[in-house]
Amino acid sequence: MRLRRPARALIAACVAAAAVACGAADPDDFPPPPSGFGTGPLATPAAPSSPGGTPDLETPAEVGTGLDVPWGIAFRPDGTAFVAERDTGRILRIAPGGGPAEPVYQVPGVVARGEGGLLGLAVSPADPELLYAYFTAESDNRIVRFRLGAQPQVVFQGLARAGNHNGGRIAFGPDGLLYVGTGDAGEPRRAPDPADPSGKILRLTPDGQPAPGNPEPGSPVYSRGHRNVQGLAWDSRGRLFAAEFGQNRLDEINLIEPGRDYGWPAVEGTGGAARGYADPLVTWGTDEASPSGIAIAGDTLYVAALRGERLWTVPIEPAALGTPRAVLDGRYGRLRTVAVAPDGALWLSTSNTDGRGDLRDGDDRIVRFPAR
């Protein structure tokens, strides 16, 4: 791993982005980001979104087994967990602290192909009975919200879908707004285009509208130049970090600043700062990581690695990230999502039934590590 210190008019939610050229791109085809992008008023989260404390990684307890590609994990304030199964479209409920995984909802219209399906989950901070889900439909990726037993309401749609690079992580930030990690849908030219919501981090109101104070007024885009974002987490200072899959060389952890361009496809890893791009704080070789979910507990960033089959722990320092350390190396196989529960426990899901892992008895599973 390597360390370093540190959009235009409204994108119509009901219209898919225009198709663009597919395949790998020549970095020289992409000039530095325009200086006009991101010059509007910015809103900064003012409070942390994760509890303090340190999870005890030496005391695991399985709280769910026999699951089908558990992807999103979200908690109500009382500790009740909801889990999204990517390929079945089901949402499961697990009691606070663990217990049987109970199917409680079937998201209609989920089309699970390749890396698509039922992906991220979030619980409304204003109403814990209201859930949000990001999923792949027949024509696009979209976000819906719903109450158990009721029909879902589409709040954002028109995100490009593909066999891979669907993004999918959603999370409410400390400011009460909904943040969305999207992928480039296998079309790199989408990522730097401020008029295309793919290959971005979006910042939305709970109703799915562009949030006030976004870098470009009337646009949902918060940052751009991303290949495939599947991890979002805030530290105690309200700073947003994101995990990003590299192509052939380097995976990344980025500190997300509104209006910045993170370089894809012109840059993979570091080396873009001189051209106006934001460089990552941490990079790994793709065989060491393939980072999906991330979470923060206390002053540590936890990164779930798929191909790397380990959990990375990264110290959070005032002006940088410290040296990553690998734990649970190979113990559970591919790791998809890591999340911090209201009681400070760390929940970790495996992804060995996704067609790329080696199955173990009980897969897929969710493991809980209690707070110290």
Side-chain angles (χ1 to χ4, degrees):
M1 74 288 299
R2 298 180 177 88
L3 306 175
R4 62 164 284 107
R5 293 188 180 269
R8 293 178 183 136
L10 169 65
I11 298 174
C14 59
V15 181
V20 293
C22 299
D26 183 345
D28 292 335
D29 290 342
F30 299 90
S35 58
F37 179 74
T39 56
L42 307 180
T44 302
S49 62
S50 60
T54 302
D56 182 0
L57 299 180
E58 301 300 322
T59 325
E62 292 187 354
V63 296
T65 58
L67 307 182
D68 192 335
V69 196
W71 212 102
I73 300 177
F75 297 95
R76 284 180 176 162
D78 67 0
T80 299
F82 294 95
V83 178
E85 289 187 320
R86 187 190 72 182
D87 291 353
T88 68
R90 296 191 308 174
I91 292 178
L92 312 176
R93 181 171 56 197
I94 301 176
E102 174 193 8
V104 293
Y105 195 84
Q106 182 77 42
V107 179
V110 173
V111 178
R113 297 173 187 155
E115 296 176 2
L118 180 57
L119 305 176
L121 285 181
V123 172
S124 167
D127 180 354
E129 300 299 317
L130 189 62
L131 284 84
Y132 287 70
Y134 181 120
F135 72 91
T136 309
E138 187 63 46
S139 61
D140 62 1
N141 285 302
R142 57 183 58 187
I143 302 168
V144 296
R145 64 182 177 184
F146 54 90
R147 300 178 189 278
L148 298 183
Q151 287 296 310
Q153 173 194 10
V154 176
V155 296
F156 197 92
Q157 60 184 352
L159 295 164
R161 56 153 293 166
N164 58 4
H165 301 190
N166 289 291
R169 195 68 63 183
I170 57 176
F172 280 94
D175 52 9
L177 297 170
L178 184 64
Y179 291 73
V180 182
T182 72
D184 67 7
E187 299 178 356
R189 293 178 185 273
R190 292 181 180 274
D193 182 357
D196 189 322
S198 302
K200 309 293 189 297
I201 293 175
L202 309 180
R203 181 171 175 263
L204 309 173
T205 69
D207 293 329
Q209 299 301 309
N214 278 358
E216 193 75 15
S219 167
V221 175
Y222 193 66
S223 64
R224 62 178 177 148
H226 298 289
R227 184 171 181 266
N228 193 22
V229 174
Q230 289 188 7
L232 300 169
W234 288 262
D235 71 0
S236 60
R237 297 171 59 187
R239 298 180 299 178
L240 173 59
F241 295 85
E244 183 157 344
F245 288 86
Q247 184 175 35
N248 299 315
R249 297 176 51 244
L250 297 172
D251 296 320
E252 303 176 357
I253 297 295
N254 287 292
L255 173 63
I256 302 302
E257 297 175 307
R260 297 298 304 274
D261 187 317
Y262 287 79
W264 177 253
V267 181
E268 183 179 359
T270 58
R275 300 172 59 187
Y277 299 108
D279 274 349
L281 273 62
V282 176
T283 62
W284 294 272
T286 53
D287 59 341
E288 297 179 287
S290 295
S292 184
I294 64 174
I296 294 173
D299 294 322
T300 301
L301 172 69
Y302 296 87
V303 182
L306 289 164
R307 186 177 174 190
E309 297 192 352
R310 67 200 75 176
L311 182 69
W312 287 101
T313 65
V314 188
I316 299 174
E317 300 173 355
L321 292 179
T323 301
R325 181 175 70 92
V327 297
L328 309 179
D329 194 352
R331 184 179 302 180
Y332 298 107
R334 291 164 58 82
L335 304 181
R336 170 68 65 182
T337 294
V338 59
V340 179
D343 64 0
L346 195 74
W347 290 47
L348 183 66
S349 74
T350 68
S351 195
N352 296 318
T353 61
D354 64 2
R356 297 179 179 178
D358 297 323
L359 293 179
R360 295 158 166 78
D361 289 341
D363 278 339
D364 268 323
R365 72 193 71 222
I366 295 177
V367 184
R368 177 183 181 272
F369 301 91
R372 295 184 188 273

